[in-house]
């Protein structure tokens, strides 16, 4: 049996023949045989990585390995406390990464939960319940309202069956089903209305179908396979830190070895120089970098949470910062996911309705002027009719307006509420005494009400169906015979509203007398008007898209909705630009990879897409080196969410599968929240860069200082314990305070950074070297003049000079940390106190330094001498060179760039 054929093309009889079954179903013995042949109706998982191996993976970073080596050496030379601190940082970062990655592999488990546990089937003509896992191709399944579809099936019988396929196709409305074959070779999944698929749910009616695909052969199975095959690449941050760790390790060890060798050649003992070299190496390697990265990302997670985003994978925070392409769903993300009536055609006029969503606030506009819909007239008659012929309710829940019932009917109730019409009151005033429910065959709904003047039939439905049943038209408060001209104008208006991507329904009524049966109430009606509705775009999204444009981020729409609707919404949001293209999934299928690569950057709207299309879009953009964010809420989105650089799932409408596959979840399903997260992501990367600019410049200064002294044959300006103290104080709290620094105010007015560029740009390296040289030269001059030795005697210990050098370099770094709060703006513009934790950290570090210099019992431990007031004045003045020299540098950079803020690192 061919299980991959196009079942939607076959008639019912041909389908039964192809699966070697019949409407009676399979016998028990045949079902068992097929179960052995095809396997259980379950989703298979690839072999999982053991938790132990996953934990070991966290320790493979070059920077982590260097720190572990430093930890071992520190223990060997007796610096146990330093080793404990380093190991605690390493272990914390490793465990955090382990937890995040362990959780990210749960997508398959969530997918399995969506499969139906039991199924109703015909076995030997008898209706019976069997575990869904035991279904096989050829089984006849029976579907009732509320059932989850247990396997992919070709429908053989339907009775008003409607299926919610949002989790699979993205289609927001339930899909009416039929049984006749569908012509065409490439029919999108959402248009195969004679098929039902595993994991979707029946919302109305009943039906029967013959199973054609189970397990991994089902559409769900294909998605599961794609999830397993998707390879998640390293984030730009991970790549950059890998390079940083490698070169820092090689560079610092080489320099330290060189300086230590010079010391040995000058006569220092080998053990003494080994301890000193290890101390310098520990000082040179920024062991707080993993902690700073982790803290920066964790703070970013908290900030994004306050802006309605939940981050599941920490590196994703930074990846958002270099995102330059956002592929967004339409329904609920770019739009309200709440139908709103936009236009009403009544009494020969087109009335516009303001307000969006379910909040009953808005006006009725005619020719640009507000009209009073509370007064009697044709408009009020229409609004009363759609309210009576309605089963939905508008309710307030926790301060928010919600609809209980069908969204389309809900839009009508909301429009009526804007005119002061209460569904409850009008239903009580004109009680319902009969109804003819909606069906996919009649495409209309009619209700009958008792009024003081007699019974009244109210109907709504497809415009062509309602119009065909009308012999009159309601105009100027009266019913008159309808003319051909009236019909023509109504059809033209219907077409005009539909071309604006509005969903159009017609409204009619008919006063009944006792002789008219309820069945005849749908005949000889009077046309009242047309209502056009749409899932309105979110107002805040328009501003968010403008912000994306300013920030150099491209936004595209990817939706399961129809092309006409998608383009209309995209134009209203400003997402569809001049020259932009809109393509459907079917059109995408006709393009080869080479042709698609040529136009992918021009396409701004993708409509009627399938899971494979979304994945293909992501891969095409990544091939062009775009950092892509993909939003999604359904099972169909999971492969693309996992493959994207940053997968964004919906918190309200999203399935568990999409949430597990994503790196970020939107609490409010709002596109604007993605843009807010991008801003935070940019700030995170900026803070990591600030940290490196600060710490590596300080470390470079320490190393260059040592090289100067060694090459000139002078005593070492800093001894081992002082190097370790610098590592604890200046390289500790102030550096960590940079991790929580607020971003530059103009961060979203810049283009995204190039992910290929990495952290170490030419400007950053130049900044580190220049400031490092400045620190080294200034400190060396202070050391030389305060050492108070004859350079020819080369004494081994010159405590006064070492104390001055030790304190000067500390103060230099305290001023320098304020420089690093922005590579563009003056510290006087952003404010010293805009990061109060920085002020606290600097104050504490200075206090600790004063203590080790001035407190008598600490002086022998750190080999320091107490300084006089004039000494402290020199230390502060020399240290302040860091601040005013960089301020002059920034000023010169602004002047050269003609007043614009230009980064110096």
């Amino acid at each position: 049996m061919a299980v991959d054929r196009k079942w939607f093309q076959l008639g019912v009889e041909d389908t039964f023949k192809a699966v070697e079954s019949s409407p009676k179903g399979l016998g028990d013995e045949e079902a068992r045989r097929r179960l052995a042949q095809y396997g259980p109706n379950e989703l298979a998982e690839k072999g999982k990585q053991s938790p132990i191996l996953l934990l070991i993976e966290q320790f493979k970073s070059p920077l982590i390995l260097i720190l572990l080596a430093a930890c071992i050496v520190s223990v060997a030379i007796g610096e146990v406390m330093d080793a404990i601190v380093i190991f605690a940082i390493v272990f914390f970062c490793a465990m955090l990464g382990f937890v995040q990655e362990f959780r990210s592999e749960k997508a398959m488990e969530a997918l399995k939960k969506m499969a139906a546990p039991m199924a109703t089937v015909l076995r030997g003509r008898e209706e019976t319940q069997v575990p869904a896992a035991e279904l096989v191709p050829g089984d006849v399944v029976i579907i009732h309202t509320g059932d989850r579809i247990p396997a992919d099936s070709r429908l053989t019988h339907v009775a008003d069956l409607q299926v919610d396929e949002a989790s699979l196709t993205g289609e927001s409305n339930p899909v009416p089903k039929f049984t006749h074959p569908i012509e065409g070779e490439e029919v999108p999944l959402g248009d195969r209305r004679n098929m039902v698929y595993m994991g979707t749910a029946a919302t109305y009616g009943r039906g029967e179908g013959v199973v054609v695909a189970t397990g991994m052969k089902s559409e769900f199975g294909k998605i599961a396979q794609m999830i397993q095959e998707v390879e998640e690449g390293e984030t730009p941050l991970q790549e950059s830190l890998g390079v940083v760790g490698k070169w820092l390790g090689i560079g610092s060890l080489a320099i330290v070895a060189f300086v230590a060798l010079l010391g040995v050649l000058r006569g220092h003992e080998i053990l003494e120089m080994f301890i000193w070299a290890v101390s310098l190496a520990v000082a040179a390697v920024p062991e707080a970098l993993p902690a700073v990265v982790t803290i920066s990302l964790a703070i970013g997670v908290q900030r994004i949470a306050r802006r309605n985003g939940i981050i599941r994978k920490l590196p994703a925070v930074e990846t958002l910062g270099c995102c330059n392409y956002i592929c967004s769903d339409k329904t609920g993300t770019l739009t309200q996911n709440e139908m709103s009536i936009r236009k009403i055609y009544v009494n020969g006029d087109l009335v516009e309705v303001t307000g969006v969503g379910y909040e009953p606030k808005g006006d009725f506009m005619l020719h640009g002027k507000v009209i009073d819909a509370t007064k009697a007239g044709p408009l009020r008659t229409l609004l009363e009719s759609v309210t009576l012929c309605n089963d939905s309710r508008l309710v307030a829940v926790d301060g928010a307006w919600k609809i209980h019932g069908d969204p389309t009917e809900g839009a009508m109730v909301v429009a009526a509420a804007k005119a002061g019409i209460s569904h409850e009151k009008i239903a009580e005033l004109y009680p319902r005494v009969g109804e003819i429910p909606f069906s996919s065959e009649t495409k209309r709904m009619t209700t009958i009400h008792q009024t003081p003047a007699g019974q009244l039939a109210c109907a709504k439905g497809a415009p062509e169906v309602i119009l065909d049943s009308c012999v009159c038209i309601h105009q100027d408060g009266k019913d008159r015979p309808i003319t051909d001209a009236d019909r023509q104008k109504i059809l033209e208006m219907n077409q005009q509203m539909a071309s604006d991507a509005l969903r159009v329904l017609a409204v009619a009524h008919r006063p009944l007398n006792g002789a008219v049966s309820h069945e005849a109430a749908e005949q000889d009606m009077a046309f009242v008007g047309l209502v056009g509705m749409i899932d309105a775009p979110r107002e805040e999204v328009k501003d968010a898209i403008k912000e994306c444009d300013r920030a150099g981020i491209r936004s595209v729409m990817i939706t399961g909705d129809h092309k006409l609707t998608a383009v209309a919404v995209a134009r209203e949001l400003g997402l569809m630009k001049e020259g932009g293209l809109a393509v459907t999934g079917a059109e995408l299928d006709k393009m080869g990879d080479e042709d698609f690569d040529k136009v992918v950057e021009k396409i701004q709207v993708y409509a009627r897409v399938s899971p494979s299309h979304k994945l293909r879009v992501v891969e095409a953009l990544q091939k062009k080196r775009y950092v892509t964010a993909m939003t999604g809420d359904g099972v169909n989105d999971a492969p693309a969410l996992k493959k994207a650089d940053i997968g964004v799932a919906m918190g309200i409408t999203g399935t568990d599968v999409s949430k597990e596959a994503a790196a970020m979840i939107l609490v409010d399903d709002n596109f604007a929240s993605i843009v807010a997260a991008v801003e935070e992501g940019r700030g995170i990367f900026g803070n990591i860069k600030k940290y490196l600019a600060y710490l590596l410049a300080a470390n470079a200064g320490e190393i260059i200082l040592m090289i100067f002294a060694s090459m000139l044959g002078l005593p070492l300006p800093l001894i081992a314990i002082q190097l370790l103290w610098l590592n604890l104080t200046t390289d500790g709290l102030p550096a960590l305070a940079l991790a929580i620094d607020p971003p530059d105010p103009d961060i979203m007015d810049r283009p995204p950074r190039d992910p290929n560029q990495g952290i170490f740009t030419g400007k950053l390296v130049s900044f580190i070297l220049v400031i490092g040289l400045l620190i080294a030269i200034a400190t060396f001059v202070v050391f030389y003049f305060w050492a108070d030795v004859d350079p020819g005697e080369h004494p081994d210990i010159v405590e006064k000079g070492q104390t001055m050098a030790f304190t000067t370099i500390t103060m230099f770094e305290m001023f320098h940390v304020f420089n690093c709060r922005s590579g563009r703006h003056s510290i006087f513009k952003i404010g010293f106190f805009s990061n109060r934790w920085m002020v606290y950290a600097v104050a504490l570090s200075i206090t600790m330094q004063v203590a080790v210099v001035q407190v008598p019992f600490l002086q022998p431990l750190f080999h320091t001498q107490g300084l006089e007031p004039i000494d402290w004045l020199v230390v502060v003045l020399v240290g302040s060179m860091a601040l005013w020299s960089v301020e002059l540098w920034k000023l010169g950079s602004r002047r050269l760039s003609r007043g614009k803020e230009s980064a110096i690192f």
Side-chain angles (χ1 to χ4, degrees), residues 344-367:
I344 298 175
Y345 177 67
V346 64
N347 205 42
D349 292 317
L350 189 62
V351 178
E352 294 187 2
V353 186
T354 65
V356 295
Y358 293 148
E359 186 175 11
K361 289 183 180 180
D363 295 316
F364 297 85
M365 312 284 292
L366 181 60
H367 306 309

Side-chain angles (χ1 to χ4, degrees), residues 597-880:
D597 288 343
K598 291 178 182 177
V599 299
V600 66
E601 293 169 293
K602 297 179 182 178
I603 299 174
Q604 294 171 348
V605 173
Y606 296 86
R608 305 303 280 173
V609 294
S610 69
S612 58
H613 295 141
K614 288 193 171 187
L615 192 57
R616 188 180 178 195
V617 170
V618 170
E619 289 172 342
L621 291 172
Q622 289 178 334
K623 194 187 300 181
K624 290 184 174 289
R625 302 299 295 173
Y626 285 107
V627 178
T628 307
M630 167 68 78
T631 74
D633 57 2
V635 175
N636 62 319
D637 298 319
L641 290 177
K642 193 171 183 182
K643 178 65 177 176
D645 298 286
I646 173 77
V648 184
M650 303 297 107
I652 299 173
T653 60
T655 60
D656 286 346
V657 181
S658 63
K659 291 175 185 177
E660 289 294 340
M664 173 182 171
I665 300 170
L666 296 183
V667 174
D668 58 352
D669 291 9
N670 194 335
F671 179 87
S673 298
I674 305 174
V675 182
V678 169
E679 181 180 352
E680 295 295 345
R682 290 188 175 190
I684 295 306
F685 185 82
N687 286 353
I688 294 170
K689 197 171 183 178
K690 293 174 190 178
Y691 169 81
L692 290 173
Y694 166 66
L695 198 62
L696 295 185
N699 291 357
E702 294 167 14
I703 292 174
I704 294 171
L705 173 64
M706 295 302 179
I707 292 175
F708 278 177
S710 296
M711 294 185 71
L712 293 175
L714 294 176
L716 296 176
L718 299 170
I719 62 174
I721 189 66
Q722 292 170 348
L723 284 169
L724 292 174
W725 179 254
L726 282 173
N727 193 53
L728 175 64
T729 55
T730 62
D731 298 359
L733 293 177
L736 293 176
L738 284 172
I740 57 175
D741 205 43
D744 285 347
D746 60 350
I747 199 165
M748 288 300 282
D749 293 331
R750 311 170 195 166
R753 69 178 181 85
D754 184 353
N756 298 324
Q757 192 176 55
I759 294 179
F760 281 109
T761 61
K763 286 185 176 181
L764 179 59
V765 173
S766 299
F767 181 79
I768 290 170
L769 292 177
V770 168
I771 300 302
L773 275 170
L774 182 61
I775 291 174
I777 292 171
T779 306
F780 179 79
V781 169
V782 170
F783 168 71
Y784 185 83
F785 283 102
W786 258 259
D788 195 23
V789 297
D790 180 353
E793 295 179 5
H794 305 308
D796 291 330
I797 300 176
V798 188
E799 282 194 352
K800 183 64 179 282
Q802 288 173 336
T803 302
M804 285 295 291
F806 180 33
T807 309
T808 299
I809 204 167
T810 298
M811 199 59 66
F812 216 109
E813 293 178 18
M814 291 302 95
F815 280 104
H816 177 53
V817 74
F818 287 102
N819 291 328
C820 297
R821 290 196 52 203
S822 176
R824 294 172 179 266
H825 304 292
S826 165
I827 183 62
F828 298 101
K829 179 178 179 180
I830 61 178
F832 280 93
F833 297 96
S834 54
N835 182 350
R836 68 180 188 278
W837 297 108
M838 176 73 72
V839 177
Y840 298 155
V842 169
L844 180 59
S845 294
I846 292 175
T847 302
M848 293 168 66
Q849 181 65 24
V850 170
V852 300
V853 171
Q854 300 297 131
V855 176
F857 75 86
L858 292 177
Q859 289 173 350
L861 294 175
F862 291 92
H863 300 276
T864 58
Q865 294 182 12
L867 300 180
E868 301 296 329
I870 188 65
D871 298 330
W872 281 108
L873 180 62
V874 170
V875 164
V876 172
L877 288 175
V878 174
S880 69

